[in-house]
Amino acid sequence: MKNTDSRKPFDIYIKIVLISLLLVWSFLIVRPFVTLIVWSIIVAVALYPFYQKLLKLTKGKKKGLITSLFTIILIALIVLPTIGLTSSIIDSGQEFYQSFEAGTLKVPPPAESIKEWPVIGKDIYSVWATASHDLENFIVKYKDQISSSLSWFFSSFAGLMGSVALGLFALIIAAVFMSSADSGYQSGVNFINRLVAGKGEEIMTMCVSTIRSVVKGILLVAIIQAALAYIGFIVIDLPAASLFAMLVLIFAIIQLPPLIAMIPAIAIVFSYADSTPAIIFTIYSIIVSMSDSFLKPILLGKGLETPMLVILIGALGGMMLQGILGLFIGPVILALMFQLYTNWVAEGHPDAPVEKKVKPTSEE
C-alpha cells in the first residue's frame, strides 16, 4: 500500500509532462493556421445571424447548397470591389507615369481662397504653387516626403490586399463553422464550464456579443464612411475617387479621422471647381468624417453590458498590438477580464445587486 502511494506523485508528474508535451506539439503544428482559424471564427460569429435568417427562409432545406451559395455571394462581394479598386489604382498609376515621362503632367494652380484657410492655408498654398510652377524641382525638393508617403501607401495597400486574401480563406472555413454552429457553441460552453463552473453560457454570450458589436461599431462604421465619401467624390467628379475612398476606409478602420485622407481631395476640388460646390463638398466631407461620433455609440455598445469605453480601448489597444486581428481579439479579452472582475467583486459583496443577464438573439 505504501509503495502504491509513493508512486502517485511520480505518475502525476509523468502525466503533466506528457500532456504539456502534447499541447506544445499540437500548438506548433497548428501555429501557421492560428490567425486564419481566429479570423474564421470571428467571421462566422459576425455573419451567423444572416446565415440563420437565410436558412429560416428556406426552412432548413438543402442546407449544403444554401451554405455554398451564401459563401459564393460573400466572396463575390469582396472580390468584385477589390478588383475594381485595384484596376482603378493601376490605371491611375499608369496615366500618371506616362504623363510624367511625356512631360505633360501638370499640377493645376491653387485657388487664391486656399490662403484664407486657418493655420495651414498659406503653407499649403506655397507648396502647391511650387508644384504647379515647376513639378520636377518640387519632386527633387520634397523627394524624402514623397518617398515616405508612397512607401506608406504601398505598404498599407499590400496589407489591405493581404487581409482581403486572408478574409477569402476565412470565409470558406467560416462557412464550415456556421454549418455546425450549434455543436461548436455548445462545445465552447462546455469548455468554459470546465474552467469556470457555471459561467460557460454567460461568457460565451458575452464573447459573441462583443465580436458582433465591434464588427458593427468599427468595421460597419468605416464602410459607411468610405461609401458616403465615395458618393461625394463621384458627385464632385474627383479624379481617382476609388483611391481616395480606400484611404478613407483605411483611416476609419485604424481609428484616425477620415478627414485626414479627405483634405488632399478637398484641395484638389478647390483647384478645378467653383467656390460654391467646393465649399459644399468641404462641409459634406467634414460631416462624413464626424459621422462616427454618433454612429459608434449607437452600434458599438448595442446589446452589451460591458461599457463602451472598455470595448473601444480593447479595439484600439488590440489593433496596436496585433493589427487588424487585434481589433476583434482586444475587445473580447478586455470584456472577459471586465466580466471576471465584476463577478469577483460581486462575490465579495453578496448583498450587491446583480444585473440580469440576457442572452442576445441571433438577429442582434
Side-chain angles (χ1 to χ4, degrees), residues 89-312:
I89 291 174
I90 292 174
D91 291 342
S92 300
Q94 288 178 341
E95 291 178 7
F96 179 86
Y97 179 76
Q98 290 171 359
S99 300
F100 183 77
E101 285 290 310
T104 58
L105 181 64
K106 301 294 182 182
V107 176
E112 292 294 327
S113 59
I114 293 177
K115 290 182 179 180
E116 300 175 4
W117 291 5
V119 183
I120 59 174
K122 292 182 179 180
D123 293 333
I124 290 178
Y125 182 88
S126 176
V127 173
W128 192 342
T130 302
S132 177
H133 294 150
D134 189 353
L135 183 58
E136 291 186 3
N137 183 49
F138 172 82
I139 293 174
V140 172
K141 183 177 180 181
Y142 295 98
K143 63 179 181 179
D144 292 336
Q145 291 88 337
I146 295 173
S147 176
S148 61
S149 298
L150 289 175
S151 176
W152 174 86
F153 171 76
F154 285 117
S155 62
S156 299
F157 183 73
L160 182 62
M161 292 300 102
S163 297
V164 169
L166 184 64
L168 293 176
F169 287 109
L171 270 176
I172 298 172
I173 299 175
V176 178
F177 289 162
M178 285 188 290
S179 64
S180 57
D182 292 337
S183 60
Y185 181 86
Q186 191 57 48
S187 176
V189 170
N190 294 338
F191 175 76
I192 296 173
N193 278 332
R194 292 285 293 173
L195 299 176
V196 187
K199 296 291 184 180
E201 188 79 24
E202 181 181 327
I203 292 177
M204 276 295 290
T205 297
M206 181 206 62
C207 291
V208 170
S209 300
T210 301
I211 290 174
R212 290 177 184 168
S213 177
V214 172
V215 169
K216 292 184 293 184
I218 294 181
L219 276 189
L220 182 58
V221 170
I223 292 172
I224 290 173
Q225 287 183 301
L228 291 174
Y230 183 70
I231 292 171
F233 297 155
I234 293 298
V235 170
I236 203 68
D237 198 21
L238 178 72
S242 299
L243 174 60
F244 281 104
M246 187 198 73
L247 290 176
V248 171
L249 179 63
I250 292 174
F251 274 75
I253 289 176
I254 63 177
Q255 303 299 289
L256 289 176
L259 188 62
I260 297 175
M262 300 174 79
I263 285 176
I266 293 172
I268 293 173
V269 168
F270 268 96
S271 70
Y272 68 83
D274 294 334
S275 297
T276 301
I279 292 172
I280 293 174
F281 174 74
T282 302
I283 296 172
Y284 176 80
S285 299
I286 294 173
I287 293 173
V288 169
S289 180
M290 296 177 61
S291 61
D292 62 339
S293 62
F294 62 86
L295 287 174
K296 280 181 182 176
I298 295 173
L299 298 174
L300 190 59
K302 186 178 179 181
L304 281 177
E305 295 185 14
T306 306
M308 190 183 71
L309 182 60
V310 174
I311 301 299
L312 187 59

Side-chain angles (χ1 to χ4, degrees), residues 1-8:
M1 188 71 179
K2 291 182 179 179
N3 187 34
T4 303
D5 292 340
S6 64
R7 290 185 57 185
K8 282 185 178 180

Side-chain angles (χ1 to χ4, degrees), residues 65-115:
L65 178 61
I66 296 299
T67 303
S68 300
L69 290 175
F70 184 68
T71 306
I72 291 171
I73 292 172
L74 289 174
I75 290 175
L77 290 175
I78 294 177
V79 170
L80 294 179
T82 302
I83 293 175
L85 174 62
T86 305
S87 176
S88 175
I89 291 174
I90 292 174
D91 291 342
S92 300
Q94 288 178 341
E95 291 178 7
F96 179 86
Y97 179 76
Q98 290 171 359
S99 300
F100 183 77
E101 285 290 310
T104 58
L105 181 64
K106 301 294 182 182
V107 176
E112 292 294 327
S113 59
I114 293 177
K115 290 182 179 180

